Amino acid sequence: MGKVKTTLTKMVEKYDKITSELYDKDENKKKAFDFVNEKLDALGRLSPDKFSGHEEKVVLAQGELISTNLMQFYLEEKEISSTLLPALDFMKTMEGEPEKEYIREKLNKLLHSQKEHKLFITQGYICLNDEGDVDNLQRGGSDYTAS
């Protein structure tokens, strides 16, 4: 078994334990487990032979996507009114800097469609770059997303 496959297997086991302990309801355990497996399966399809900066950013983004979705599933189970706003739906950079007008437009549209919620969950430092690829905000980027 290759190193990547071994690592992914360990991650599946770790997340299985986390989801089993975090959620009370079986349907939420399954929902979380299925989501995690979908993300980890996608990582398993990346070629270690052609691993570049782009693939590294995609890998890092999966951790953000997994953690925020697990949090949202937990809040739903506890019947806390909240919604997940995927950062990739509104965070974008142009030449490495946040594209403020794009962000304002997309985020306002998302927020207006979710008026019934007062608690919003989103990822901290992931975004799309000017080419539409998954990217990372630079240092302090999660502070920008949080504001």
Side-chain angles (χ1 to χ4, degrees):
M1 188 182 302
K3 185 177 179 180
V4 171
K5 194 163 186 89
T6 300
T7 301
L8 288 172
T9 299
K10 287 179 184 177
M11 289 175 73
V12 167
E13 292 168 359
K14 179 181 177 181
Y15 278 114
D16 187 32
K17 183 177 185 321
I18 289 168
T19 57
S20 294
E21 293 172 358
L22 186 60
Y23 305 103
D24 297 323
K25 299 176 183 172
D26 287 339
E27 63 266 20
N28 291 332
K29 290 178 185 183
K30 181 178 179 350
K31 183 175 165 181
F33 184 77
D34 289 348
F35 181 82
V36 169
N37 278 320
E38 175 188 316
K39 295 298 174 192
L40 295 179
D41 285 348
L43 292 179
R45 290 190 293 275
L46 293 175
S47 172
D49 299 332
K50 298 178 183 173
F51 205 78
S52 67
H54 170 71
E55 282 78 15
E56 179 181 6
K57 290 172 183 176
V58 169
V59 169
L60 293 173
Q62 301 316 299
E64 285 285 296
L65 295 168
I66 290 171
S67 63
T68 54
N69 276 272
L70 292 181
M71 178 59 145
Q72 180 59 33
F73 299 158
Y74 179 79
L75 292 170
E76 289 170 5
E77 180 173 89
K78 298 303 178 188
E79 298 180 0
I80 297 171
S81 178
S82 62
T83 190
L84 180 67
L85 299 177
L88 298 178
D89 288 353
F90 66 90
M91 286 302 298
K92 187 174 181 182
T93 59
M94 181 67 71
E95 298 177 9
E97 291 297 318
E99 194 174 329
K100 293 177 185 173
E101 192 55 42
Y102 175 91
I103 295 166
R104 183 178 298 113
E105 178 185 318
K106 295 292 185 178
L107 189 54
N108 278 334
K109 188 174 182 179
L110 286 170
L111 292 172
H112 280 56
S113 72
Q114 299 293 331
K115 286 183 180 180
E116 70 274 13
H117 299 291
K118 297 200 184 315
L119 178 60
F120 301 98
I121 307 298
T122 194
Q123 296 79 35
Y125 66 90
I126 63 174
C127 64
L128 296 176
N129 62 25
D130 47 341
E131 296 175 12
D133 294 326
V134 173
D135 207 340
N136 299 331
L137 295 166
Q138 302 304 312
R139 186 164 178 79
S142 38
D143 293 342
Y144 188 86
T145 306
S147 63

